[in-house]
Amino acid sequence: MRPRPRRLACHRIETAGLRGLGAVLTLAAALHAGSARAQDPADLVQPVLQNSVELEYPEDLRRLPAPPSGQVVVKLVVGVDGVPKELEVVQSVHPELDALAKSAVAQLRYAPGLYKGRPIEVVLKVGIDIAAPPPLPPEPAEPPPEVDAGEPATDAGEPAQQSQGTGPIRLRGVLLEAGQRVPVSGASVLVVPAPPDWPVGQVTKKIYGDEPEPAWTMRAETAPDGSFELRGVPDGKIRIIALAQGFDRYEVVEELAKGDLLEVKYYARRLVSNPFRTVVKQRRDAREEVARRTITPEEIYNLPGTQGDALKSLQNFPGVARAPFGLGLLIIRGAAPGDSKTYLGYHEIPQLFHFGALSSTFNSDILAQIDFIPGNFDSRFGDAIGGIINVNPRKGRRDGYHGYVDADVFDAGIMLEGPIKKGSFVTSFRRSYVDAILKAALPKDIGLGLSQAPRYYDYQFLFDYPVGGGELSVRWFGSDDRLRVIAQGPNETMTGSENQARTAILFHRLDLVYRKQDGPWDFLITPSINYQSLSGAFGGLFTFNFPKYEFSWRAEASRQLSSRSAIRIGTELQAGRYEIGARAPSVPAAAGTGDTGVYNVADVGQNYATPAIYTTATIGLGERFTLYPGARMTYYALQVKKATVDPRVRFNWQVGENTAIKGGVGLYSQIPDLISLAPVWGNPRSGIERAVHTSLGVAQVFDSVGVEAEVTGFYKYVFDRSTSSSVLMRDPVSGDIRLENFANQGTGQIFGMELLVRKALTKRLFGWVSYTLMKSLIQARPGADYRPFSFDQPHILTILAVYKLPRGWQIGGRFRLVSGNPSVAYFDSAFVQDGYEPWFGRDERLPAFHQLDLRVDKRFTFKRVTANFYLDIINVYNRQNGEAWVYSYNLQQRQLQTGLPILPSLGVRLEF
């Protein structure tokens, strides 16, 4: 079920004309007559215009030899109060006509749009056709004004004359939002005389009782850029009162000297507002997954336990198992972490989290939305049999230059964004300083040296610009994590590779994205190149280096066939080369922990290419039933030289005003991991792994209490899984007889139920309860017993809530209760050669995991900046959660290895 929308992008062009010598335009019902619009979502009621506005063609433009004409298109957001905001001219004619059209649109007032009976924000585009009237003759030059040395032409002591707003400009200013410095348009600015004994400055105290009727009153309305001006204001002390929808009353006393022009800049403080503003955009190419859960960074920035990282919040959704030690593994509906894919801007991202999942590798403040699809995903996505996470970056802001600087106990970062002519940019950088903290905190006599790390950094640069009627985006980003630990005894004077451990994980990527809408068609073309590397060493036992160079490509064409039908066709290509350089001991298949004494050395490389073509259709059968059939054909050209065809179908049945039933079934394929295919440790003859997804869900909205509930049942059957094998084979390279190590012989069954109860976003409260009941079983080879998967967690419960308190305070909490992971208890061992071989005992589970996280925020809003201080405490009551059993050398004794203790994080963010 989709989260309750707060903003829908209807992408509608509404037109009106500006013609005739009178040059007066009325923007009224004509804006809504005959408009061509894309398909509106069900249950959406468009905003209705309530007033009209007149525009007059500027006389100075009429005196030009060729007065400008054309269509000005203004993009706006109709707020829940019916007031237009975030106005942007997306199609220009002339700077003066653009400003005139933008000012007129800002004065429009609407009855707000509704979705399922609730007010929402709606994005519209208003097109104004301006036909130039006949040009006027040039205005004759005026003679120089006569100067009268006698009495002045006006008497400042006559308020009756001044209240008409005539004469010279005496007050000019601009009204901005405090902390954000963005214009506040459509605000009323009132000016009245102030008592002589009032001091100059902002009025912060409330005035009680009846005030006397002012001797005169003047009024102005702020333009789209927040500017205002008043003429003929009398000399002396004046009260300036700014009133704007959604903002605190701003009042200030100024003194206007005789003959002066007073220029001011004021900052209005926004009222206590919903801190979890959800932005849900209805796109023409949107497809309805059975259990798509969409979340925006604004919605979960302050969730406890995430350190403000939007991507970490995914671990709170139903169907996501808890990773041990808080690692950033995404275990979706019982599938292995490598079975799920994360896409960022139409291409797969190789690494989602930094070391220890302290933060994500892409700044979540640059994200527009995050789609979590645990199963039955669209044919646009392939090479995965688990789930999909689809992340879309946003464009930079064009209402001025903004950014922030933030820091906590783990890292510090900076972000800057703003306009570049018609386009925009966003750039960000973040680096950790955990390495410096650990070096200072760890005692020098423990024999553990940190010569490098753990440390990480990431960077992003995004640029968007309109080109050829479409939008061109350039995205360059990357990440680098490094760690080196030296274990040195007190009597050792030198260190070598045998007492060092090091790892390095990095990637760098460059994307180009071009999107264009042409009538009922949508086009997408996006190439991408990236380099990634994984390397490390652990003593003298194991070394590895896996560099990878990749080019990826995606192109799509979508067409809206009718109000209830559409089709999308796309192609995708992943091609490149990977190399494997490694040295590791040989571990016999299906054996215990004994060492063979033999080392395998690999130094191989291989090219790969995986082209695919896919399609998905939208077919409306009646008014309430929609079918989404699709298919994907993939050819694994250079690795396994096999093709797959994966048909998929989903449906959405709106059985009632607030009730929907959704379901789907489909076939999914993926190539085994590199180790399974490696010539040395794996089996180059391994084939494709497959899975069948089935799911059925019911979603219900309870309007009376503002609650959404969703229940989804699912079953996945996995076959041709690559598992360990002790069968002998002839090596395809050397011709020697050896173990095949891996074969496509495993099967799996994953089934369960997910429940999500979500409190609708209100002015102060937000939260949800998610529960998963699930079993994940795997059969390693035909005839073997089904055993629980390593991360099989039958019960997963998450409860979280955030509440906004007065005076900028906010508090939130998250509680999790999760079944322990499966484990096998050793009850005895036997000494063989160089070590002990275990005798496996009974199956068991680790103790249940439970943990409480809290977060407290305090926000200060100043004129030009906003400061947010927060305290995020993980594991408040310091629960010692068991993560693994650690055995003695002879496997006779064991001790429970626990996870993270209580971990407070104090941070601050300064936004401008």
Side-chain angles (χ1 to χ4, degrees):
M1 178 180 175
R2 296 188 301 269
R4 181 176 302 281
R6 292 297 186 213
R7 174 178 294 182
L8 294 179
C10 298
H11 299 297
R12 177 176 64 199
I13 298 294
E14 303 168 321
T15 60
L18 175 58
R19 295 180 175 88
L21 185 59
V24 175
L25 168 67
T26 300
L27 295 178
L31 286 175
H32 291 274
S35 61
R37 69 180 65 181
Q39 177 189 0
D40 290 338
D43 303 320
L44 171 64
V45 178
Q46 292 283 352
V48 178
L49 192 62
Q50 300 293 304
N51 69 330
S52 63
V53 179
E54 292 185 351
L55 280 79
E56 185 172 353
Y57 196 96
E59 188 171 327
D60 57 335
L61 295 185
R62 289 188 63 190
R63 297 188 183 278
L64 296 176
S69 63
Q71 186 185 64
V72 180
V73 179
V74 180
K75 182 179 179 181
L76 68 147
V77 177
V78 179
V80 295
D81 55 1
V83 177
K85 58 183 179 179
E86 299 181 25
L87 281 74
E88 177 184 358
V89 175
V90 295
Q91 181 173 308
S92 173
V93 171
H94 182 277
E96 193 167 344
L97 294 180
D98 295 347
L100 193 67
K102 190 174 179 181
S103 176
V105 173
Q107 299 175 55
L108 298 177
R109 293 297 180 266
Y110 291 82
L114 302 174
Y115 185 76
K116 295 184 177 180
R118 290 175 175 252
I120 59 170
E121 293 181 344
V122 179
V123 180
L124 299 178
K125 288 182 181 178
V126 174
I128 305 174
D129 293 319
I130 302 177
L136 293 177
E139 189 173 2
E142 296 183 358
E146 296 182 4
V147 179
D148 187 357
E151 294 185 5
T154 60
D155 185 358
E158 297 181 5
Q161 295 294 325
Q162 300 292 345
S163 64
Q164 302 302 318
T166 61
I169 299 175
R170 301 297 310 279
L171 177 63
R172 177 184 292 150
V174 62
L175 183 64
L176 304 175
E177 180 181 344
Q180 292 295 313
R181 301 174 295 108
V182 298
V184 179
S185 63
S188 294
V189 180
L190 304 178
V191 180
V192 297
D197 57 340
W198 280 24
V200 173
Q202 184 176 355
V203 178
T204 57
K205 294 183 178 180
K206 188 173 181 179
I207 301 174
Y208 296 93
D210 296 332
E211 295 188 49
E213 186 73 20
W216 52 265
T217 302
M218 292 187 175
R219 179 185 180 277
E221 187 170 294
T222 57
D225 60 356
S227 63
F228 64 90
E229 61 182 33
L230 286 164
R231 296 176 179 271
V233 180
D235 300 334
K237 286 187 177 180
I238 56 176
R239 290 171 61 190
I240 303 173
I241 305 168
L243 303 173
Q245 182 75 25
F247 289 84
D248 276 328
R249 171 190 174 112
Y250 184 89
E251 183 173 350
V252 64
V253 175
E254 303 280 9
E255 186 159 7
L256 188 59
K258 184 176 181 179
D260 281 356
L261 167 62
L262 180 62
E263 295 187 301
V264 297
K265 182 181 289 186
Y266 297 138
Y267 296 87
R269 192 183 304 271
R270 185 175 289 275
L271 288 170
V272 176
S273 58
N274 187 353
F276 321 106
R277 181 186 183 192
T278 303
V279 181
V280 178
K281 295 185 177 180
Q282 180 74 16
R283 303 185 305 272
R284 295 199 307 182
D285 62 347
R287 300 293 186 268
E288 183 76 15
E289 269 84 8
V290 180
R292 174 192 290 259
R293 285 136 194 165
T294 300
I295 192 168
T296 60
E298 296 96 333
E299 191 174 10
I300 41 72
Y301 171 71
N302 293 337
L303 285 187
T306 64
Q307 288 80 45
D309 195 313
L311 290 170
K312 291 181 67 176
S313 67
L314 294 170
Q315 299 170 349
N316 298 317
F317 276 128
V320 181
R322 190 193 67 85
F325 297 101
L327 299 176
L329 302 177
L330 287 174
I331 308 161
I332 301 175
R333 280 190 180 171
D339 293 344
S340 300
K341 302 293 184 184
T342 301
Y343 287 82
L344 196 156
Y346 309 106
H347 305 276
E348 185 182 350
I349 186 172
Q351 181 188 354
L352 188 58
F353 294 106
H354 289 295
F355 282 133
L358 295 177
S359 63
S360 57
T361 57
F362 194 92
N363 188 343
S364 61
D365 293 299
I366 310 179
L367 300 181
Q369 70 178 43
I370 306 168
D371 293 332
F372 170 66
I373 313 171
N376 286 105
F377 43 87
D378 188 79
S379 59
R380 167 185 274 185
F381 308 110
D383 197 28
I385 61 175
I388 292 293
I389 296 169
N390 186 35
V391 180
N392 291 309
R394 64 174 176 85
K395 294 187 289 187
R397 296 173 62 173
R398 301 196 67 247
D399 57 351
Y401 295 96
H402 302 271
Y404 67 75
V405 178
D406 70 350
D408 58 23
V409 298
F410 302 114
D411 56 37
I414 184 172
M415 189 189 80
L416 180 66
E417 61 182 323
I420 299 181
K421 295 186 178 179
K422 295 182 181 180
S424 63
F425 78 94
V426 186
T427 184
S428 173
F429 179 80
R430 173 174 46 189
R431 191 199 190 278
S432 72
Y433 35 70
V434 180
D435 50 346
I437 294 177
L438 289 181
K439 280 185 178 181
L442 290 177
K444 299 185 180 300
D445 58 354
I446 66 172
L448 184 66
L450 293 170
S451 63
Q452 183 185 45
R455 77 107 177 99
Y456 57 82
Y457 72 82
D458 59 71
Y459 64 91
Q460 299 85 32
F461 176 79
L462 284 71
F463 173 72
D464 296 273
Y465 203 85
V467 175
E471 189 98 40
L472 175 66
S473 301
V474 181
R475 302 164 182 169
W476 177 35
F477 55 95
S479 168
D480 191 307
D481 294 28
R482 296 181 186 271
L483 167 68
R484 179 176 295 168
V485 178
I486 301 175
Q488 184 177 359
N491 296 323
E492 292 181 299
T493 58
M494 300 181 63
T495 60
S497 60
E498 67 279 355
N499 58 1
Q500 293 187 28
R502 57 178 175 82
T503 61
I505 308 172
L506 58 93
F507 75 89
H508 304 281
R509 189 172 121 185
L510 175 65
D511 297 356
L512 296 178
V513 181
Y514 184 73
R515 295 203 65 162
K516 182 177 181 178
Q517 181 177 329
D518 186 7
W521 288 94
D522 278 308
F523 300 98
L524 166 70
I525 299 176
T526 170
S528 172
I529 56 174
N530 78 81
Y531 167 75
Q532 52 187 286
S533 175
L534 170 63
S535 62
F538 298 93
L541 183 67
F542 182 47
T543 61
F544 60 92
N545 182 29
F546 300 151
K548 184 179 180 181
Y549 311 83
E550 184 173 272
F551 169 80
S552 59
W553 163 276
R554 186 185 294 272
E556 292 181 354
S558 306
R559 179 178 173 85
Q560 194 76 27
L561 302 176
S562 69
S563 61
R564 297 276 292 149
S565 63
I567 189 169
R568 177 174 63 202
I569 300 175
T571 62
E572 184 182 17
L573 170 67
Q574 290 179 311
R577 178 177 178 81
Y578 66 85
E579 298 176 356
I580 300 177
R583 177 180 182 272
S586 176
V587 178
T593 60
D595 186 1
T596 63
V598 178
Y599 279 81
N600 291 326
V601 178
D603 187 10
V604 297
Q606 184 174 1
N607 299 324
Y608 64 93
T610 309
I613 183 171
Y614 55 88
T615 182
T616 300
T618 301
I619 304 174
L621 304 177
E623 292 296 324
R624 294 182 175 272
F625 192 89
T626 307
L627 199 63
Y628 303 94
R632 181 183 180 93
M633 184 176 70
T634 306
Y635 181 55
Y636 300 92
L638 301 179
Q639 294 168 288
V640 297
K641 297 181 176 62
K642 294 180 180 179
T644 60
V645 177
D646 297 337
R648 305 166 187 178
V649 64
R650 306 184 308 280
F651 72 87
N652 180 27
W653 182 18
Q654 195 73 32
V655 297
E657 182 70 18
N658 294 324
T659 307
I661 298 176
K662 294 177 281 189
V665 60
L667 186 61
Y668 298 84
S669 307
Q670 72 178 19
I671 195 170
D673 58 49
L674 294 181
I675 298 299
S676 299
L677 292 171
V680 178
W681 294 281
N683 180 5
R685 300 185 302 183
S686 294
I688 304 299
E689 299 176 328
R690 313 295 294 273
V692 177
H693 289 197
T694 60
S695 56
L696 182 65
V698 179
Q700 177 70 42
V701 176
F702 301 93
D703 283 324
S704 59
V705 291
V707 171
E708 302 165 351
E710 169 188 338
V711 180
T712 304
F714 60 90
Y715 174 78
K716 293 199 295 187
Y717 178 71
V718 182
F719 58 100
D720 291 341
R721 185 75 175 178
S722 182
T723 59
S724 61
S725 172
S726 57
V727 175
L728 295 177
M729 62 169 284
R730 185 175 297 277
D731 191 286
V733 178
S734 65
D736 298 334
I737 302 297
R738 68 170 179 88
L739 296 176
E740 67 175 358
N741 295 324
F742 292 93
N744 294 96
Q745 59 182 348
T747 59
Q749 297 186 63
I750 306 168
F751 50 91
M753 177 272 295
E754 299 165 350
L755 171 66
L756 177 63
V757 179
R758 185 167 180 165
K759 179 69 175 66
L761 306 183
T762 61
K763 188 174 182 179
R764 296 184 181 274
L765 178 65
F766 163 68
W768 74 61
V769 177
S770 69
Y771 172 69
T772 304
L773 176 65
M774 177 176 57
K775 286 295 293 181
S776 178
L777 305 174
I778 186 171
Q779 184 186 46
R781 61 189 58 83
D785 294 334
Y786 274 95
R787 301 178 64 87
F789 173 59
S790 301
F791 298 108
D792 174 55
Q793 298 169 4
H795 303 278
I796 306 171
L797 173 67
T798 302
I799 304 173
L800 60 88
V802 181
Y803 189 79
K804 192 174 183 68
L805 299 166
R807 299 185 180 276
W809 287 94
Q810 183 170 283
I811 186 170
R814 176 182 67 172
F815 176 76
R816 290 183 292 169
L817 176 61
V818 185
S819 301
N821 284 327
S823 178
V824 177
Y826 302 140
F827 61 83
D828 208 342
S829 63
F831 183 81
V832 291
Q833 295 182 344
D834 299 329
Y836 286 85
E837 287 285 350
W839 292 353
F840 292 104
R842 66 185 184 280
D843 291 338
E844 64 176 13
R845 286 189 177 273
L846 294 171
F849 171 96
H850 57 87
Q851 180 175 293
L852 175 66
D853 307 322
L854 290 178
R855 177 174 172 129
V856 179
D857 290 78
K858 170 61 177 173
R859 190 175 184 89
F860 298 91
T861 302
F862 305 100
K863 287 184 177 181
R864 292 176 174 83
V865 299
T866 300
N868 189 73
F869 296 86
Y870 66 86
L871 175 64
D872 201 332
I873 306 177
I874 298 177
N875 197 5
V876 171
Y877 52 81
N878 199 26
R879 160 73 176 177
Q880 302 298 305
N881 288 297
E883 301 288 8
W885 288 108
V886 179
Y887 284 83
S888 62
Y889 73 98
N890 59 1
L891 307 180
Q892 299 296 313
Q893 297 178 331
R894 65 178 184 175
Q895 181 178 355
L896 189 63
Q897 177 67 49
T898 58
L900 293 174
I902 182 173
L903 182 62
S905 174
L906 183 64
V908 60
R909 168 180 287 200
L910 298 177
E911 300 179 16
F912 58 90

